[in-house]
Amino acid sequence: MQVVILDYGAGNVRSVQFALERLGIDSVLSNDSETILSADRIIFPGQGEAESAMKKLRQYGLDRLLPELKQPLLGICLGMQLMFDASEEGDTKGLGIIPGQVKRFTQGKIPQVGWNTIEELQGPLFQNIPELSYMYLVHSYYAPLVTETSATSTYGIRYTVAIQKDNFFGVQFHPEKSSKAGQQLLENFIYLDV
Amino acid sequence: MLCKRIIPCLDIKDGRTVKGVNFVNLRDAGDPVLLAKQYAEAGADELVFLDISATEQNRKTLVDLVEKVAQTIDIPFTVGGGISSLEDVHVLLQHGADKVSINSAAVKQPHLIDDLANQFGSQCIVVAIDAKQFDGQWLVHLVGGKVPTELDLFDWAKEVASRGAGEILFTSMDHDGTKNGFANAALKQLSQSMEIPIIASGGAGTISHFTDAFIHGKSDAALAASVFHFGEITIPNLKLELQKNNIPVRL
């Protein structure tokens, strides 16, 4: 099993790598097309501002490569948001894997920081994860409810915290920082039936 | 629903926990990694590591510690103490810290907040503010509360938020160490005038102090050190009590 964590200068890659280590899974950090294409699983972390992250993806040609991948890919936080068509943040054009536009929260403290419950869990990523499990989130922008939504949460409004479309998965929360439920989700992703 | 956060703070010197720590079943109470693991398992929502040695040579020790903590625990943690440059922050994040906390350096060079937020994102930039009341005015203090400034707490809080801080960690020097409760009036004023989350610090002595910091102080999170380290308050008990008071917590 070759797991690649995309290392494009916009994400806390070490935290994800350490979380996989705790599951006994080795991973490599890479932004190289060959390495990514030959991987069995790809994790796409993301932090910071949307447009500058997209800029970095373009530098490595990942904006074209990622939507073409056939292996399971897991976007985390900004990684998930960039899988949408667009984001209000910096008026950014995303990867266009999932239709819809990411928007800024308009109520409550911004960013939302902390542990929130997740609901309406669907699909293989949430196997053995109970409804209303707590996950750790830090974000100012949110993804709308779409047909690809596979989990929701509520922060003033109901919004998408997980998506699935074919081999593409995404979560708004940080599984690598979400204690046992997060660990379970990462394990589910690694051992998906494909 | 978003939960209120409970955050134990560990003071670190030369890579070891300082201040007496009185956990039962802990063979080495001075080992921050072991302590961090214990707190994570007890249900702490985040941890803060405050490096109080902060000399050149000890930074290396701190970075090694950060990496060990990141390898071990599966909840977020913040590292603070002596951070004064983009490079300091880069190294800590690279080794697995989730957030950094800056204090004096932000006052001395406010533009550092903008630079850090632009470079790494607001989500990992916590600005710590220590303040003390003089004639009814809350004045910001530096160097662990020793050096007064002319800055007004509320003005400074607004400025750090507009420069891109993701959270504010407010310590009342008047309450810190007293175990008489948090500075709820100031916390409430901060929390209601700010868009970003406020972490309350200084004054925790009993469980009801935490309840008050959330209900009256409107805080988003509460931080404490000695009440947790000496086992005066355990995190599971604290959270059950908070829940009884209809405060959303992660159980």
Side-chain angles (χ1 to χ4, degrees), chain B residues 179-194:
Chain B
K179 298 200 172 186
N180 282 329
F182 293 91
N184 294 317
L187 279 167
K188 181 181 175 187
Q189 192 179 336
L190 264 184
S191 196
Q192 292 186 333
S193 59
M194 309 287 301

PDB file of all heavy atoms in Angstrom, chain B residues 179-194:
ATOM      1  N   LYS B 179      -7.072  31.757  41.847  1.00  0.00           N
ATOM      2  CA  LYS B 179      -8.099  30.709  41.983  1.00  0.00           C
ATOM      3  C   LYS B 179      -9.441  31.262  42.445  1.00  0.00           C
ATOM      4  O   LYS B 179     -10.204  30.589  43.133  1.00  0.00           O
ATOM      5  CB  LYS B 179      -7.620  29.604  42.935  1.00  0.00           C
ATOM      6  CG  LYS B 179      -6.366  28.910  42.416  1.00  0.00           C
ATOM      7  CD  LYS B 179      -6.168  27.569  43.046  1.00  0.00           C
ATOM      8  CE  LYS B 179      -5.009  26.854  42.349  1.00  0.00           C
ATOM      9  NZ  LYS B 179      -4.866  25.493  42.815  1.00  0.00           N
ATOM     10  N   ASN B 180      -9.700  32.526  42.066  1.00  0.00           N
ATOM     11  CA  ASN B 180     -10.967  33.156  42.445  1.00  0.00           C
ATOM     12  C   ASN B 180     -11.927  33.325  41.276  1.00  0.00           C
ATOM     13  O   ASN B 180     -12.910  34.047  41.387  1.00  0.00           O
ATOM     14  CB  ASN B 180     -10.700  34.542  43.058  1.00  0.00           C
ATOM     15  CG  ASN B 180     -10.224  34.432  44.485  1.00  0.00           C
ATOM     16  OD1 ASN B 180     -10.609  33.491  45.195  1.00  0.00           O
ATOM     17  ND2 ASN B 180      -9.383  35.347  44.904  1.00  0.00           N
ATOM     18  N   GLY B 181     -11.620  32.707  40.157  1.00  0.00           N
ATOM     19  CA  GLY B 181     -12.512  32.830  39.010  1.00  0.00           C
ATOM     20  C   GLY B 181     -11.901  33.674  37.902  1.00  0.00           C
ATOM     21  O   GLY B 181     -10.934  34.409  38.125  1.00  0.00           O
ATOM     22  N   PHE B 182     -12.451  33.538  36.708  1.00  0.00           N
ATOM     23  CA  PHE B 182     -11.954  34.252  35.532  1.00  0.00           C
ATOM     24  C   PHE B 182     -12.460  35.704  35.537  1.00  0.00           C
ATOM     25  O   PHE B 182     -13.389  36.049  36.270  1.00  0.00           O
ATOM     26  CB  PHE B 182     -12.436  33.553  34.251  1.00  0.00           C
ATOM     27  CG  PHE B 182     -11.857  32.176  34.031  1.00  0.00           C
ATOM     28  CD1 PHE B 182     -12.509  31.036  34.509  1.00  0.00           C
ATOM     29  CD2 PHE B 182     -10.663  32.020  33.340  1.00  0.00           C
ATOM     30  CE1 PHE B 182     -11.983  29.767  34.289  1.00  0.00           C
ATOM     31  CE2 PHE B 182     -10.134  30.748  33.116  1.00  0.00           C
ATOM     32  CZ  PHE B 182     -10.800  29.620  33.596  1.00  0.00           C
ATOM     33  N   ALA B 183     -11.874  36.526  34.668  1.00  0.00           N
ATOM     34  CA  ALA B 183     -12.266  37.946  34.561  1.00  0.00           C
ATOM     35  C   ALA B 183     -13.500  38.052  33.666  1.00  0.00           C
ATOM     36  O   ALA B 183     -13.433  38.493  32.519  1.00  0.00           O
ATOM     37  CB  ALA B 183     -11.102  38.751  33.974  1.00  0.00           C
ATOM     38  N   ASN B 184     -14.648  37.674  34.216  1.00  0.00           N
ATOM     39  CA  ASN B 184     -15.826  37.481  33.362  1.00  0.00           C
ATOM     40  C   ASN B 184     -16.356  38.747  32.688  1.00  0.00           C
ATOM     41  O   ASN B 184     -16.817  38.688  31.549  1.00  0.00           O
ATOM     42  CB  ASN B 184     -16.929  36.786  34.156  1.00  0.00           C
ATOM     43  CG  ASN B 184     -16.518  35.373  34.531  1.00  0.00           C
ATOM     44  OD1 ASN B 184     -15.951  34.656  33.706  1.00  0.00           O
ATOM     45  ND2 ASN B 184     -16.751  34.982  35.769  1.00  0.00           N
ATOM     46  N   ALA B 185     -16.289  39.871  33.378  1.00  0.00           N
ATOM     47  CA  ALA B 185     -16.820  41.095  32.768  1.00  0.00           C
ATOM     48  C   ALA B 185     -15.988  41.479  31.535  1.00  0.00           C
ATOM     49  O   ALA B 185     -16.538  41.779  30.468  1.00  0.00           O
ATOM     50  CB  ALA B 185     -16.827  42.232  33.783  1.00  0.00           C
ATOM     51  N   ALA B 186     -14.665  41.432  31.696  1.00  0.00           N
ATOM     52  CA  ALA B 186     -13.789  41.764  30.563  1.00  0.00           C
ATOM     53  C   ALA B 186     -13.940  40.724  29.450  1.00  0.00           C
ATOM     54  O   ALA B 186     -13.964  41.071  28.261  1.00  0.00           O
ATOM     55  CB  ALA B 186     -12.341  41.845  31.026  1.00  0.00           C
ATOM     56  N   LEU B 187     -14.053  39.465  29.847  1.00  0.00           N
ATOM     57  CA  LEU B 187     -14.221  38.403  28.845  1.00  0.00           C
ATOM     58  C   LEU B 187     -15.482  38.622  28.025  1.00  0.00           C
ATOM     59  O   LEU B 187     -15.479  38.494  26.795  1.00  0.00           O
ATOM     60  CB  LEU B 187     -14.306  37.039  29.538  1.00  0.00           C
ATOM     61  CG  LEU B 187     -12.982  36.414  29.942  1.00  0.00           C
ATOM     62  CD1 LEU B 187     -13.214  35.244  30.903  1.00  0.00           C
ATOM     63  CD2 LEU B 187     -12.217  35.922  28.704  1.00  0.00           C
ATOM     64  N   LYS B 188     -16.555  38.960  28.727  1.00  0.00           N
ATOM     65  CA  LYS B 188     -17.827  39.160  28.037  1.00  0.00           C
ATOM     66  C   LYS B 188     -17.713  40.317  27.044  1.00  0.00           C
ATOM     67  O   LYS B 188     -18.154  40.208  25.894  1.00  0.00           O
ATOM     68  CB  LYS B 188     -18.925  39.456  29.061  1.00  0.00           C
ATOM     69  CG  LYS B 188     -20.296  39.645  28.432  1.00  0.00           C
ATOM     70  CD  LYS B 188     -21.337  39.953  29.498  1.00  0.00           C
ATOM     71  CE  LYS B 188     -22.670  40.263  28.828  1.00  0.00           C
ATOM     72  NZ  LYS B 188     -23.655  40.718  29.826  1.00  0.00           N
ATOM     73  N   GLN B 189     -17.109  41.409  27.505  1.00  0.00           N
ATOM     74  CA  GLN B 189     -16.957  42.568  26.620  1.00  0.00           C
ATOM     75  C   GLN B 189     -16.118  42.199  25.391  1.00  0.00           C
ATOM     76  O   GLN B 189     -16.446  42.568  24.264  1.00  0.00           O
ATOM     77  CB  GLN B 189     -16.311  43.718  27.382  1.00  0.00           C
ATOM     78  CG  GLN B 189     -16.381  45.029  26.616  1.00  0.00           C
ATOM     79  CD  GLN B 189     -15.755  46.190  27.369  1.00  0.00           C
ATOM     80  OE1 GLN B 189     -15.656  46.177  28.602  1.00  0.00           O
ATOM     81  NE2 GLN B 189     -15.319  47.203  26.621  1.00  0.00           N
ATOM     82  N   LEU B 190     -15.046  41.441  25.638  1.00  0.00           N
ATOM     83  CA  LEU B 190     -14.199  41.000  24.518  1.00  0.00           C
ATOM     84  C   LEU B 190     -14.997  40.126  23.559  1.00  0.00           C
ATOM     85  O   LEU B 190     -15.015  40.346  22.344  1.00  0.00           O
ATOM     86  CB  LEU B 190     -13.043  40.154  25.049  1.00  0.00           C
ATOM     87  CG  LEU B 190     -11.691  40.786  25.312  1.00  0.00           C
ATOM     88  CD1 LEU B 190     -10.728  39.692  25.732  1.00  0.00           C
ATOM     89  CD2 LEU B 190     -11.163  41.527  24.088  1.00  0.00           C
ATOM     90  N   SER B 191     -15.643  39.117  24.137  1.00  0.00           N
ATOM     91  CA  SER B 191     -16.300  38.112  23.313  1.00  0.00           C
ATOM     92  C   SER B 191     -17.411  38.725  22.482  1.00  0.00           C
ATOM     93  O   SER B 191     -17.598  38.373  21.319  1.00  0.00           O
ATOM     94  CB  SER B 191     -16.845  36.993  24.198  1.00  0.00           C
ATOM     95  OG  SER B 191     -17.148  35.883  23.400  1.00  0.00           O
ATOM     96  N   GLN B 192     -18.149  39.661  23.087  1.00  0.00           N
ATOM     97  CA  GLN B 192     -19.276  40.229  22.349  1.00  0.00           C
ATOM     98  C   GLN B 192     -18.859  41.276  21.329  1.00  0.00           C
ATOM     99  O   GLN B 192     -19.610  41.584  20.426  1.00  0.00           O
ATOM    100  CB  GLN B 192     -20.296  40.792  23.339  1.00  0.00           C
ATOM    101  CG  GLN B 192     -20.947  39.643  24.111  1.00  0.00           C
ATOM    102  CD  GLN B 192     -22.083  40.090  25.011  1.00  0.00           C
ATOM    103  OE1 GLN B 192     -22.112  41.224  25.463  1.00  0.00           O
ATOM    104  NE2 GLN B 192     -23.012  39.184  25.290  1.00  0.00           N
ATOM    105  N   SER B 193     -17.654  41.816  21.486  1.00  0.00           N
ATOM    106  CA  SER B 193     -17.238  42.837  20.515  1.00  0.00           C
ATOM    107  C   SER B 193     -16.346  42.246  19.419  1.00  0.00           C
ATOM    108  O   SER B 193     -15.986  42.940  18.482  1.00  0.00           O
ATOM    109  CB  SER B 193     -16.507  43.978  21.228  1.00  0.00           C
ATOM    110  OG  SER B 193     -15.372  43.476  21.896  1.00  0.00           O
ATOM    111  N   MET B 194     -15.989  40.964  19.538  1.00  0.00           N
ATOM    112  CA  MET B 194     -15.041  40.376  18.591  1.00  0.00           C
ATOM    113  C   MET B 194     -15.696  39.277  17.764  1.00  0.00           C
ATOM    114  O   MET B 194     -16.514  38.527  18.273  1.00  0.00           O
ATOM    115  CB  MET B 194     -13.857  39.737  19.326  1.00  0.00           C
ATOM    116  CG  MET B 194     -13.184  40.620  20.342  1.00  0.00           C
ATOM    117  SD  MET B 194     -12.219  41.906  19.596  1.00  0.00           S
ATOM    118  CE  MET B 194     -11.088  40.926  18.660  1.00  0.00           C
TER     119      MET B 194
END
